[in-house]
Amino acid sequence: MTSVLDIKENRKQAHIIKDDQEAIAIAHQLASEFTQGASDRDREGKVPLEEVNRYSESGLWGITVPREYGGSFVSNVTLAEVTKIISEADSSLGQIPQNHLYIVESIRLDGTDQQKKFYFDQVLKGKRFGNAFSEIGTKNVADVQTRVTKNGSKYLLNGRKFYSTGALVADWIPVVASNDDHKTVIVILERGTPGLTIIDDWNSFGQRCTGSGTTIIENVEVSEEQIILQFQAFERPTTQGPVAQIIQAAVDVGIAKAALRDTLHYVRNYARPWIDVEIEHGYEDPLTLYNIGQVVIQVHAAEALLRRSGEYIDLANANPTDRTVAEASIAVAEAKAIAAEASILASNKLFELAGTKSTLRQYNLDRHWRNARTHTLHDPARWKYYAVGNFYLNAENPPRHPWL
């Protein structure tokens, strides 16, 4: 495997987090560190390996491991809160473990007991999953061209992936593939596997430091023990889809909060009053106050819906039925739709309210808009509104897949 990073350098075994309260406390502690240098990391566009190591060593990448396998299995309210806190500090760092957490949920739901024992132990030690899920140039996001085919007692895996978030810093690379029955599975490859190549070619204007890029898989031989039957999670009511989406929503809320934070700072310290109003300071401008209020309310609404959606997922976890899982999916869709809009609104209003000085390159405040615009493209908010409307008006349950 080709990689520009030595991920084993100076790594420690991960801390084991005991409960939800400790997870949130550690997230706040890390966020205070990650906020420092976030702008510089964005400018450089490099994978923040040192910060990723601190993040995974903190134990936060293992908080969804079930208790019977040594984890704390925190609530999804806490999972979203932790992701939001880290994303406000640095949204690239908030996104990097997104698919790691997705794989932990996949193993929890459909892994064999042997797979659970092995991979959960790896996670609790601080090992990281990456992502080789999405492909470029296919009919749609669910059109998987990567194939895993039976070859005697083994399997052969071939394909090419894009948007491989976190793969460059991962110990294990989960690859979404179509099997001989044309069903979607996840094949977990170890870093360094012959035939596995990861290319550091991510060049988006936003989320620059997510360790994304191209993954190429050429005639990689795998065993059945490396295959998770992901399709099963969507053939019955499970929280696989809602968990995938609440992490996305939490990243967007974090971006919105970061943009609002910087808006308040720059308006308070730099904005000038408009000439048609008799005031001394820009922060007294009534139209500015109106717009600030609009952004604050939108961000607070996104936070409230994010928490609410976590509560619905927790209810569905406790009693997974068609109804409870559908309600969880719809609750997350509501949160994701508002989070996307809040992040775009907050990052756009920043410049309108802070003024021309805020556009200077030295401040790099455009990173909030770039990050919001990039991350919110993962799955369109318009389809969230459609699903919510169809559920409440026509009693139609949403489809089961990772994008809703």
Side-chain angles (χ1 to χ4, degrees), residues 1-3 132 157 171-175 188-199 214-220:
M1 180 179 70
T2 300
S3 174
L157 181 65
D171 300 281
W172 299 91
I173 315 299
V175 181
I188 302 178
L189 303 180
E190 188 171 10
R191 184 184 186 90
T193 296
L196 174 64
T197 303
I198 301 173
I199 303 170
T214 298
T215 301
I216 302 170
I217 311 103
E218 299 173 294
N219 293 319
V220 175

Side-chain angles (χ1 to χ4, degrees), residues 66-344:
R67 292 187 180 92
E68 59 267 33
Y69 292 94
S72 55
F73 197 59
V74 301
S75 70
N76 283 279
V77 173
T78 295
L79 174 62
E81 182 71 11
V82 165
T83 304
K84 180 191 74 176
I85 291 166
I86 299 296
S87 297
E88 181 181 355
D90 185 327
S91 58
S92 285
L93 286 168
Q95 185 186 347
I96 286 174
Q98 176 178 296
N99 294 293
H100 167 95
L101 295 163
Y102 180 87
I103 293 299
V104 172
E105 181 72 354
S106 296
I107 295 169
R108 184 183 77 84
L109 292 171
D110 289 304
T112 64
D113 187 57
Q114 181 181 353
Q115 288 171 328
K116 291 177 182 178
K117 287 178 180 176
F118 177 77
Y119 288 117
F120 287 156
D121 178 68
Q122 291 282 292
V123 170
L124 291 175
K125 287 177 178 176
K127 301 296 184 181
R128 302 186 288 251
F129 291 115
N131 157 36
F133 291 176
S134 295
E135 299 172 5
I136 196 167
T138 56
K139 180 181 178 181
N140 57 48
V141 70
D143 180 18
V144 178
Q145 295 299 308
T146 299
R147 296 285 185 263
V148 58
T149 56
K150 185 78 171 172
N151 183 35
S153 62
K154 297 285 187 176
Y155 295 82
L156 277 182
L157 181 65
N158 283 278
R160 186 183 184 94
K161 300 289 186 175
F162 198 56
Y163 312 117
S164 302
T165 302
L168 287 165
V169 295
D171 300 281
W172 299 91
I173 315 299
V175 181
V176 170
S178 180
N179 67 10
D180 290 332
D181 297 322
H182 305 290
K183 293 189 175 182
T184 302
V185 299
I186 296 173
V187 185
I188 302 178
L189 303 180
E190 188 171 10
R191 184 184 186 90
T193 296
L196 174 64
T197 303
I198 301 173
I199 303 170
D200 185 9
D201 60 352
W202 179 242
N203 65 354
S204 172
F205 62 61
Q207 295 298 94
R208 292 176 173 175
C209 305
T210 53
S212 300
T214 298
T215 301
I216 302 170
I217 311 103
E218 299 173 294
N219 293 319
V220 175
E221 188 176 79
V222 298
S223 66
E224 193 167 346
E225 288 73 28
Q226 294 172 261
I227 300 174
I228 307 293
L229 304 180
Q230 186 199 30
F231 64 88
Q232 294 181 160
F234 303 105
E235 292 182 341
R236 70 189 194 278
T238 73
T239 54
Q240 182 75 74
V243 166
Q245 284 295 301
I246 197 173
I247 299 167
Q248 299 264 22
V251 173
D252 292 340
V253 175
I255 295 171
K257 286 178 66 65
L260 175 58
R261 175 199 67 209
D262 286 348
T263 301
L264 297 176
H265 173 77
Y266 279 85
V267 169
R268 185 73 192 179
N269 290 282
Y270 302 115
R272 297 184 294 181
W274 186 237
I275 57 176
D276 293 329
V277 61
E278 294 295 328
I279 54 176
E280 291 296 320
H281 306 286
Y283 56 77
E284 298 172 306
D285 187 315
L287 297 183
T288 294
L289 295 175
Y290 168 86
N291 279 275
I292 289 289
Q294 181 188 24
V295 174
V296 168
I297 291 169
Q298 189 86 340
V299 173
H300 285 174
E303 286 191 279
L305 285 179
L306 182 68
R307 180 178 184 84
R308 174 179 176 269
S309 66
E311 292 169 351
Y312 269 87
I313 298 176
D314 290 334
L315 290 172
N317 257 336
N319 180 33
T321 66
D322 286 336
R323 180 67 184 182
T324 59
V325 169
E327 289 174 337
S329 293
I330 291 299
V332 178
E334 294 177 46
K336 182 68 168 61
I338 291 300
E341 293 186 357
S343 64
I344 296 295

